[in-house]
Amino acid sequence: MSTVGNKMTAEEFAAYAAKHGRCELIHGEVRALTPASYGHGLVTSRLNTLIGHWVMNQRIGEVFAAETGFRLDDERGPVVRAPDIAFIAQERLPGVKPESFATSPPDLIVETLSPGDTSSEVSEKIMWWLSQGVKEAWVADPGNKTVTLHWPDSTSRRFAVGQSLDASRALPGLVIDLAMVFD
């Protein structure tokens, strides 16, 4: 496989990822992703179900599961990232479904923390998504049983079990009882 220098193009990465599984391309470099833990998988699945059901009933767009790649190159090189959950509003969906990665940012992404995630890694990822045009980024924390919503204007809001998440700007009207997600 040819690469530019020691870096991989997004096209080369598509073929590589198809054979090697969970990974992302960050500025031309492949980063392996470990399988999700039990808690990570359970929380992500529950959020995906609740968000997906609501979006389908409202007919306002599409929800994408983990493993869906979004190609959002920046000045440092090609980037293909896969959030745990993504939502694209109906009016922003591509007219023709891409055969490979989506090439525009989702409106909403959700990242679920894993035990090995550092706060700086998660912060960097959330800031990157928001800088690429994502309107809202959620961080679900199974350990603390919280979901924090982040917006491009650098504001955020944290919700915990016992509260209903109801401040989504990307999905106005969505209300999630966090006890359904974490208990």
Side-chain angles (χ1 to χ4, degrees), residues 32-76:
L33 300 174
T34 58
S37 68
Y38 182 90
H40 179 284
L42 183 61
V43 166
T44 302
S45 176
R46 288 179 178 179
L47 280 171
N48 197 38
T49 299
L50 293 167
I51 294 168
H53 181 73
W54 190 83
V55 166
M56 286 180 67
N57 282 339
Q58 301 298 313
R59 298 176 189 218
I60 60 168
E62 295 290 346
V63 176
F64 298 86
E67 311 297 329
T68 304
F70 289 84
R71 180 180 177 180
L72 305 170
D73 300 348
D74 63 26
E75 67 282 351
R76 294 172 50 201

